[in-house]
Amino acid sequence: AQRVTQPEKLLSVFKGAPVELKCNYSYSGSPELFWYVQYSRQRLQLLLRHISRESIKGFTADLNKGETSFHLKKPFAQEEDSAMYYCALKAAGNKLTFGGGTRVLVKP
Amino acid sequence: DTGVSQNPRHKITKRGQNVTFRCDPISEHNRLYWYRQTLGQGPEFLTYFQNEAQLEKSRLLSDRFSAERPKGSFSTLEIQRTEQGDSAMYLCASRSLGQSGNYEQYFGPGTRLTVT
């Protein structure tokens, strides 16, 4: 069975500081991982996927199969980054298994 | 708004009543997913359809839950004899099977169910 763990429920950082959201997974197959974000009063939306190896809004995430991790990082947090972030693992049928989420609060 | 839509957005019902939610996916999206999200948790998969065929159901989906997608377009999720534990946000998502390599699921705004 697949599982996604986000150990931090809340991350509070100051504007301009680095931010790292941890995500660990367990899955017997070849994993495909995503980060979804939900801004206040908005719907859940895709932020980035590991297969694309892209930077979105300054965020990057590297899949580390040895450590079974997919941590999300941004070197300089902005106030508009305040949101709920979910790490997700794609299983058969393309259904997603989500972690419990991390709330990021960027203080001015 | 051409995104995924869900109705109603909020539903308050008394324990034991039946409720039905509707999801309208993005036009021509083949796959439609239902998730449930309780307070402080991430979304949990319930079931998904490819066109009108229901291909998988989670063990979370008890016999009181039923989902349909009769014409391969909109979908309904019905909960019979609601219980307080059914209180949650019910999310719908859709994606196009034809987009090779694009696994993005587009989510609707959700239906918040409160069972009193």
Side-chain angles (χ1 to χ4, degrees):
Chain A
Q2 57 271 7
R3 186 181 179 92
V4 177
T5 303
Q6 294 179 249
E8 304 123 337
K9 285 289 188 185
L10 172 66
L11 275 181
S12 182
V13 299
F14 285 102
K15 177 183 173 181
V19 62
E20 180 179 23
L21 289 73
K22 291 186 169 48
C23 171
N24 290 91
Y25 67 90
S26 63
Y27 184 53
S28 56
S30 182
E32 293 191 49
L33 286 136
F34 306 82
W35 278 98
Y36 276 77
V37 61
Q38 188 167 25
Y39 300 103
S40 179
R41 301 182 187 279
Q42 294 187 26
R43 61 188 67 190
L44 201 58
Q45 58 186 283
L46 180 66
L47 179 62
L48 55 79
R49 68 201 84 186
H50 93 269
I51 199 169
S52 300
R53 293 182 170 274
E54 56 194 348
S55 173
I56 303 291
K57 299 184 179 182
F59 284 97
T60 58
D62 291 318
L63 177 62
N64 186 323
K65 292 185 179 181
E67 296 183 358
T68 60
S69 68
F70 187 55
H71 303 329
L72 182 69
K73 303 176 185 178
K74 184 169 182 176
F76 308 104
Q78 303 299 312
E79 290 184 66
E80 55 265 30
D81 297 327
S82 294
M84 198 73 190
Y85 292 81
Y86 295 96
C87 183
L89 171 69
K90 183 179 79 73
N94 297 121
K95 65 183 181 185
L96 295 172
T97 298
F98 287 87
T102 298
R103 180 171 298 282
V104 171
L105 177 62
V106 181
K107 296 178 287 187
Chain B
D1 186 359
T2 56
V4 178
S5 62
Q6 293 186 245
N7 287 288
R9 296 290 306 275
H10 303 274
K11 178 70 177 178
I12 300 174
T13 191
K14 292 185 177 180
R15 189 175 54 188
Q17 297 296 304
N18 299 345
V19 294
T20 300
F21 311 140
R22 176 178 170 128
C23 171
D24 287 88
I26 293 172
S27 179
E28 298 180 355
H29 273 192
N30 314 82
R31 287 202 171 172
L32 186 149
Y33 302 81
W34 284 99
Y35 294 86
R36 181 174 69 185
Q37 186 174 21
T38 53
L39 202 60
Q41 303 296 319
E44 295 174 292
F45 169 78
L46 291 178
T47 187
Y48 86 94
F49 293 84
Q50 181 169 310
N51 299 314
E52 66 276 8
Q54 188 173 17
L55 296 187
E56 186 174 349
K57 293 193 292 186
S58 162
R59 286 172 292 179
L60 290 175
L61 217 62
S62 76
D63 292 343
R64 296 184 296 106
F65 287 70
S66 62
E68 294 182 342
R69 195 183 182 196
K71 298 182 180 179
S73 56
F74 73 91
S75 176
T76 58
L77 178 67
E78 181 183 15
I79 309 174
Q80 296 182 327
R81 304 180 303 281
T82 52
E83 301 173 356
Q84 287 189 322
D86 297 331
S87 295
M89 178 75 86
Y90 289 84
L91 296 169
C92 177
S94 71
R95 70 172 286 261
S96 172
L97 193 57
Q99 291 176 278
S100 177
N102 179 6
Y103 300 115
E104 180 171 0
Q105 293 186 19
Y106 295 83
F107 281 82
T111 294
R112 182 169 295 284
L113 173 66
T114 301
V115 181
T116 61

